[in-house]
Amino acid sequence: MPGDEVVEDELLAGPRGRRFLAELAEWRLAPEERWSLQAWAGLAMGRHSGDDLPSDLRGACLEQLQQLVDRVDLHALVGVRWPEELLEPLAASVDSARYWQDVDAIDGVLADPRAVEVLRPLVAPVLAAPATAWWRDDVDRGLQQHVDWLWGSPAGRQAPVLTGGRRALRDQREEETVREAQERREHPGLARAPWSGAWWSSPSHVEGVVATSPVLEPPRSEEVLPVGLALVEDASDDGRAVLRPLRARSDARVLEIHSARAWCDLVEAHPREVTWSRGLDWQLSTGWAGSWVLPDWASVAREWDGVHLSVLGHLGVSGRLLTTTVTGEQRGALAPGPARTLLAGWSPGQTFWLTDALEAAGDAQRWGRDEQWRGDLGWSLAEEGGPAEGHRPRLSR
C-alpha cells in the first residue's frame, strides 16, 4: 500500500477522488445552503459540459467551491466513525463517472489546478477518519457478494456461472481482436462518431468471469451494507436486486489495485492494444487521440485468479489518463508517443474473478429500494420483492 503522502496525491489526481471531495464538502451543508451557491448549483443541474464552460462562470464556480470547503469542519471530519456516513458522497462520485462522452462540467472545473489546491485541505482529514479505513482493504476472500439486477424480472437470472472463465476470456480476446481490426478499417483516424462503443476496461460481460463486491458490517448495526448496491458505475435505475454470497479459495491469487502504478504495471505486463475499439469514446472523455492499451485478460488469468480494485484505487485511478511504457502502433492522424491507458467501468471495492476460484457461501437475498427514499441510497432487505416494511432503508443517511 502506498504511503500517506502518495495516497493523498493519488486522491487529488483522480477525477473520482476530486469529485468525492467536492461532493463531501457540499453534502456536509444543509440543503438550503447547497442551493444558495447558484453557479455551483447550475453545474449540478447540467446546464454546461466540461468543454463549453465560460471563463467567468468557471471563476465563479471556483470561488463557490472555496466557500464550500471553508464551511467544512475539518476536526469533525476526522472524527467520522462509520463507513455508511460517507457512502452518499462516495456514491455520487461513482455514479457521475462518464467515460463514453465529454467530461461533465463539475469534473471539468475540479480538474483545474486551482480547484485541486482548494480541495487539498480535505484530504488528510478524510484519510484519517475511521470511516475510510476500509478503503485501503485488500479483498476479503471469505465474504463477497455478487449482485444480480432484476431488470423487471420477478425472479432474476440464474446463479452466476462460476467456472470456465479462462476459456471464455480466450474466446473474448479472439472476438475483440476481430472487432479491433474492423474498427481500424472503418475509423482509421479515430474520427468522432455519434455512437458509443465498448468503453469499459474491466473483464465484464464474459460468462464465467464473476464480479463481486465486499460486505461492510457496521458495529452499531446487526445489518450489513452490501457495497455492490450502493457504489455502482453506470448504475441502472432498477430498484431491485438479488445478492448471492460467495467465497474464494483461501489460496486464490488476487492482484490488488490500490494505485495508478499498480494498474500501469498490470497493463505493461500484459498489454493488448485497444486503440480503435476504445479510442472513439475515450478521446471524448480525456482528449487523448493516440494509442490505447488495456490488460490482456486471458493472459492475466494465467497468473492471477482475481483482480481487486480498492476504494482508494478507484478514487485515484478511475477515469485518469495514464501513460504507459508500451509503444502503440502509430499511423494516420494518431498522436505519437507511448500508449495511454484508462481504468473505466470498475466499481470501488469490486473484484473480477478470472478463474474457477469461487463457490457459493449461502442463500440468495432479495434487496429493494424504497421509492419514498428515491433521492437517497435507500436499500434494504426485501420481503416478497419489495423493500422491507417497518423500518427506514439501511443504506441511507
Side-chain angles (χ1 to χ4, degrees):
M1 186 72 197
D4 289 345
E5 291 186 5
V6 174
V7 171
E8 292 181 15
D9 289 342
E10 289 259 322
L11 199 62
L12 288 167
R16 308 279 41 89
R18 294 190 297 266
R19 184 62 171 261
F20 164 75
L21 294 170
E23 295 283 354
L24 174 65
E26 185 179 7
W27 175 75
R28 301 288 285 186
L29 298 179
E32 60 272 15
E33 292 182 285
R34 300 177 194 176
W35 292 105
S36 69
L37 305 176
Q38 294 300 317
W40 197 252
L43 295 190
M45 294 175 67
R47 295 173 182 165
H48 297 276
S49 73
D51 292 335
D52 68 354
L53 200 63
S55 59
D56 57 339
L57 179 55
R58 180 180 294 271
C61 290
L62 288 169
E63 291 179 6
Q64 293 185 1
L65 177 64
Q66 183 70 68
Q67 294 176 41
L68 283 172
V69 173
D70 288 344
R71 297 183 191 185
V72 176
D73 184 337
L74 300 182
H75 180 73
L77 189 55
V78 173
V80 176
R81 296 181 60 189
W82 313 113
E84 65 266 36
E85 293 184 74
L86 298 181
L87 274 181
E88 283 191 49
L90 184 57
S93 171
V94 174
D95 187 53
S96 62
R98 39 193 276 186
Y99 311 107
W100 56 90
Q101 61 190 81
D102 293 323
V103 175
D104 74 9
I106 294 178
D107 281 357
V109 170
L110 298 178
D112 189 303
R114 294 170 293 178
V116 173
E117 293 309 309
V118 170
L119 295 171
R120 190 175 295 278
L122 300 177
V123 179
V126 163
L127 295 177
T132 65
W134 72 283
W135 290 8
R136 303 165 172 81
D137 287 351
D138 290 347
V139 68
D140 180 357
R141 292 168 175 79
L143 184 58
Q144 293 285 298
Q145 285 194 333
H146 173 265
V147 178
D148 178 10
W149 302 102
L150 293 185
W151 296 106
S153 168
R157 296 173 295 180
Q158 297 295 318
V161 176
L162 304 181
T163 59
R166 278 197 181 99
R167 174 171 293 183
L169 286 169
R170 290 196 298 268
D171 293 342
Q172 182 206 42
R173 178 173 58 189
E174 293 179 5
E175 293 172 2
E176 292 203 348
T177 299
V178 172
R179 187 179 304 118
E180 183 79 7
Q182 179 181 352
E183 292 287 347
R184 179 185 304 185
R185 290 192 301 270
E186 296 178 359
H187 306 286
L190 286 185
R192 290 197 173 192
W195 60 84
S196 175
W199 54 265
W200 51 90
S201 312
S202 59
S204 55
H205 311 291
V206 179
E207 186 171 284
V209 174
V210 179
T212 64
S213 297
V215 177
L216 296 178
E217 300 185 54
R220 64 176 181 175
S221 171
E222 295 181 357
E223 299 185 47
V224 299
L225 302 179
V227 175
L229 294 176
L231 306 178
V232 186
E233 284 203 345
D234 192 29
S236 73
D237 291 329
D238 194 353
R240 296 180 301 156
V242 172
L243 272 65
R244 293 183 171 90
L246 302 171
R247 59 173 166 259
R249 298 193 320 266
S250 60
D251 63 345
R253 303 161 300 169
V254 180
L255 176 64
E256 296 291 342
I257 305 294
H258 293 297
S259 66
R261 183 66 265 163
W263 175 253
C264 286
D265 285 346
L266 176 62
V267 172
E268 292 164 2
H270 305 272
R272 183 172 68 86
E273 187 165 12
V274 294
T275 301
W276 280 267
S277 58
R278 300 299 197 278
L280 289 171
D281 287 317
W282 290 351
Q283 181 180 344
L284 292 176
S285 64
T286 68
W288 174 249
S291 297
W292 291 97
V293 286
L294 281 179
D296 178 342
W297 292 112
S299 176
V300 174
R302 294 198 297 265
E303 184 177 353
W304 301 99
D305 296 305
V307 182
H308 170 246
L309 179 68
S310 68
V311 177
L312 277 180
H314 172 88
L315 293 174
V317 185
S318 290
R320 180 176 165 190
L321 181 64
L322 298 171
T323 303
T324 72
T325 60
V326 180
T327 301
E329 182 179 353
Q330 305 297 329
R331 63 167 61 200
L334 296 185
R340 283 6 180 215
T341 188
L342 190 76
L343 179 58
W346 201 316
S347 299
Q350 194 172 45
T351 304
F352 281 90
W353 300 93
L354 313 177
T355 70
D356 304 351
L358 294 172
E359 64 179 9
D363 296 330
Q365 293 181 328
R366 294 170 62 89
W367 283 69
R369 186 170 54 199
D370 194 327
E371 293 295 329
Q372 180 181 359
W373 304 105
R374 188 73 174 184
D376 224 335
L377 294 179
W379 286 96
S380 66
L381 192 61
E383 297 177 357
E384 298 301 325
E389 298 179 356
H391 69 278
R392 201 184 192 292
R394 183 68 187 92
L395 291 185
S396 53
R397 193 170 34 160

